[in-house]
Amino acid sequence: MNQPIGERASRGSLTRRDMLWLIGVVSAPAVLPTLSGCAAHPVTGEKVLVGLSEQDEINIDRKQAPHQFSNDYGAVQDDSLNRYLGEMNGRIAARSHRPKMPYSCRALNANYVNAYTFPAGSIGITRGILLEMDNEAQLAGLLGHELGHVNARHSAQRVGQSMVAELVITGVSLAVAASDRGSDWAPIIALGGQIGASALLAAYSRDNEREADSLGMAYMAGVGYPASGMSELMGVLVRQSSEKPGLLDTMFSSHPMSEERLATMRREASGRYAATGSASVQRERYMDQTAGLRKLRPAIADQQTGEQAMARKRLPEAQQALTSALKAAPDDYTGLCLMAKCQIAQNRRAEAQAYLAQARRVYPTEGQAMQLSGINLLGQKRFAESQQELNRYAQALPGDPDTDFLLALTHEGLQNRQAAAQSYRRYLSAVPQGDAARHATNRLKSWGMVK
Ligand SMILES: [Zn+2]
């Protein structure tokens, strides 16, 4: 970059590359937990090194979960489905080793196939994976597995292990940041929705997975589901991963799957838990609760095609699939956001704005369309409107330093150097390193506000 992005923004000459950089800048959450030493494993009672106290787990969860859920296009706007998931999860969690954690569960509007949990038990299940399952016992297996991660405190342990590695090297606390900024296309791939889970969610070890499986099976069988629901779920996922490669990449990278896991669960279901085999899998109830979602199946399939085409830089193909998705479901929030991203990637900012405006109308409280709209308006030199959207976003999803960075650019556009400097400083106090931090520091230097 030969000219500062703030200057280019104020002249309205942001290139497509700048836009991608801005979008890339806003997608790497950072966690700075405090060291809290050893704790007893809640399940085995053994001492394990954990980097997080229970209060840390709750704080990280509260801070990060809303942002990740928004990355996945927010909770589905189907209250009865969310209530159903919440109640079911609550029932299983009540039988877990940490029944007092603040558990919650919602279906997310994302299309990729995955489920994840934050360390205090905020669980998200994508509509993509809900469509792959066909009975409640499988869902119970999925929830049991996620609850297993919370109960065995896998996030806290992982932070503990990486902190030790980090302490050896630098003697300072851990910083988590993993994103590929090298490629012009990395942000668009992230936009495609396949990536997104923060580093804290990524990659449990195989041992963690085994432990979550076996805890999960005990929990779900304990509330009366046939234990085979868990192995059935794994079978479905393994089969789908060969039929629809790509869609399950995130699932398998955050929860490594193996034949061995599947075989173990099958053995346990027909061995130790054989008595649960006569219980109902509750297929009808699951089908009733997901009826609304299943009506969207054709649109979701088109969106999945569109997302994969975007990830492969095949924009006309993506456009075609997303057009077809919107024909089938014109008011689908995810479909509208994806189409807006596809327009941004093709440098069609006015078109993108129209889709974002529609997305804002169909889901006024969800943050992602506000954020994209703020960035896209910035790209069109509509600084005051951009600022308005970004302020709304900051209200809906507080605590995101990237918003300060973007607000600084809008202040620059409005020739308000003092306010811009303030926003850059706020950004730097949260994110002292990286491309955007360098940019912020250079701006402050060029104004003589820091040495
Ligand atoms: Zn897992």
Side-chain angles (χ1 to χ4, degrees):
M1 281 177 219
N2 29 20
Q3 197 183 44
I5 195 157
E7 233 159 69
R8 292 209 299 278
S10 55
R11 286 177 196 165
S13 59
L14 287 181
T15 62
R16 177 177 151 284
R17 205 190 162 86
D18 291 332
M19 291 292 288
L20 296 182
W21 183 70
L22 286 176
I23 289 165
V25 159
V26 298
S27 58
V31 194
L32 289 165
T34 52
L35 185 60
S36 52
C38 282
H41 189 297
V43 177
T44 64
E46 283 168 33
K47 290 275 176 199
V48 289
L49 183 66
V50 298
L52 303 175
S53 69
E54 189 164 297
Q55 193 55 50
D56 290 334
E57 289 178 299
I58 293 170
N59 292 344
I60 286 179
D61 190 306
R62 285 205 182 123
K63 201 173 148 203
Q64 294 217 338
H67 291 273
Q68 180 59 40
F69 294 150
S70 178
N71 231 13
D72 284 329
Y73 307 95
V76 298
Q77 305 100 297
D78 178 340
D79 293 341
S80 121
L81 176 57
N82 287 319
R83 228 178 4 252
Y84 166 70
L85 292 174
E87 276 166 15
M88 198 172 144
N89 186 57
R91 231 176 333 121
I92 303 173
R95 294 293 190 98
S96 72
H97 293 83
R98 303 173 86 190
K100 297 219 157 69
M101 293 303 280
Y103 296 103
S104 64
C105 182
R106 74 282 291 139
L108 299 166
N109 278 317
N111 299 318
Y112 69 111
V113 177
N114 202 3
Y116 52 81
T117 183
F118 281 84
S122 296
I123 297 176
I125 301 180
T126 65
R127 62 185 190 179
I129 200 167
L130 283 168
L131 285 176
E132 299 295 334
M133 297 186 280
D134 61 12
N135 66 49
E136 212 173 272
Q138 296 170 1
L139 174 60
L142 183 70
L143 293 172
H145 177 93
E146 298 306 327
L147 291 168
H149 283 307
V150 178
N151 277 270
R153 306 193 66 192
H154 289 154
S155 295
Q157 282 180 53
R158 201 171 49 250
V159 170
Q161 286 153 2
S162 33
M163 282 184 75
V164 171
E166 195 78 13
L167 284 166
V168 171
I169 301 164
T170 62
V172 293
S173 67
L174 148 120
V176 184
S179 85
D180 173 14
R181 294 277 169 68
S183 146
D184 204 4
W185 284 98
I188 275 296
I189 295 166
L191 280 177
Q194 303 287 324
I195 302 172
S198 72
L200 198 68
L201 296 170
Y204 293 111
S205 72
R206 299 213 172 224
D207 280 347
N208 287 169
E209 286 308 300
R210 280 186 209 111
E211 190 173 33
D213 288 346
S214 97
L215 286 171
M217 189 170 268
Y219 298 157
M220 53 104 66
V223 293
Y225 290 102
S228 55
M230 173 79 85
S231 46
E232 248 184 59
L233 166 74
M234 290 177 178
V236 168
L237 295 178
V238 168
R239 200 166 58 240
Q240 288 298 342
S241 70
S242 57
E243 284 168 21
K244 303 179 192 168
L247 276 180
L248 281 99
D249 289 354
T250 316
M251 176 84 195
F252 289 151
S253 66
S254 59
H255 301 277
M257 176 62 78
S258 64
E259 287 296 326
E260 175 239 301
R261 269 180 72 194
L262 178 56
T264 306
M265 287 295 97
R266 280 195 179 134
R267 204 169 48 239
E268 293 275 289
S270 58
R272 191 183 346 180
Y273 297 104
T276 66
S278 55
S280 166
V281 297
Q282 300 289 3
R283 181 182 158 89
E284 254 177 69
R285 198 156 66 194
Y286 185 82
M287 287 296 161
D288 280 351
Q289 293 293 341
T290 53
L293 255 195
R294 279 181 295 111
K295 273 189 209 138
L296 289 171
R297 197 191 281 276
I300 292 173
D302 280 333
Q303 289 175 26
Q304 289 169 335
T305 307
E307 286 179 275
Q308 293 196 306
M310 270 210 275
R312 295 194 185 108
K313 314 178 198 177
R314 295 184 192 148
L315 297 177
E317 194 184 316
Q319 169 101 21
Q320 201 178 14
L322 294 173
T323 303
S324 161
L326 285 177
K327 211 170 275 172
D331 283 339
D332 187 71
Y333 180 72
T334 312
L336 291 163
C337 287
L338 286 171
M339 185 58 114
K341 291 171 183 182
C342 187
Q343 302 307 311
I344 292 174
Q346 295 172 90
N347 222 4
R348 296 188 196 135
R349 291 169 200 172
E351 287 85 345
Q353 204 55 43
Y355 289 112
L356 289 170
Q358 177 68 1
R360 298 274 283 106
R361 273 192 293 277
V362 302
Y363 201 164
T365 53
E366 215 298 299
Q368 187 173 157
M370 299 177 199
Q371 186 191 36
L372 282 171
S373 176
I375 294 173
N376 193 51
L377 287 163
L378 179 65
Q380 295 171 85
K381 214 184 171 180
R382 293 158 67 178
F383 302 114
E385 293 163 275
S386 168
Q387 204 168 84
Q388 213 170 30
E389 285 287 73
L390 292 169
N391 280 326
R392 278 195 199 111
Y393 174 69
Q395 250 169 15
L397 286 170
D400 181 358
D402 299 323
T403 310
D404 290 315
F405 184 82
L406 294 168
L407 281 169
L409 295 180
T410 65
H411 289 307
E412 281 205 59
L414 294 168
Q415 316 295 331
N416 188 346
R417 189 172 286 187
Q418 285 304 327
Q422 211 170 26
S423 293
Y424 278 137
R425 282 207 192 92
R426 238 194 323 263
Y427 177 78
L428 284 169
S429 69
V431 188
Q433 281 165 359
D435 291 348
R438 255 192 308 281
H439 174 84
T441 308
N442 289 339
R443 292 307 270 163
L444 292 174
K445 272 188 195 155
S446 74
W447 298 333
M449 291 179 179
V450 292
K451 275 184 251 167

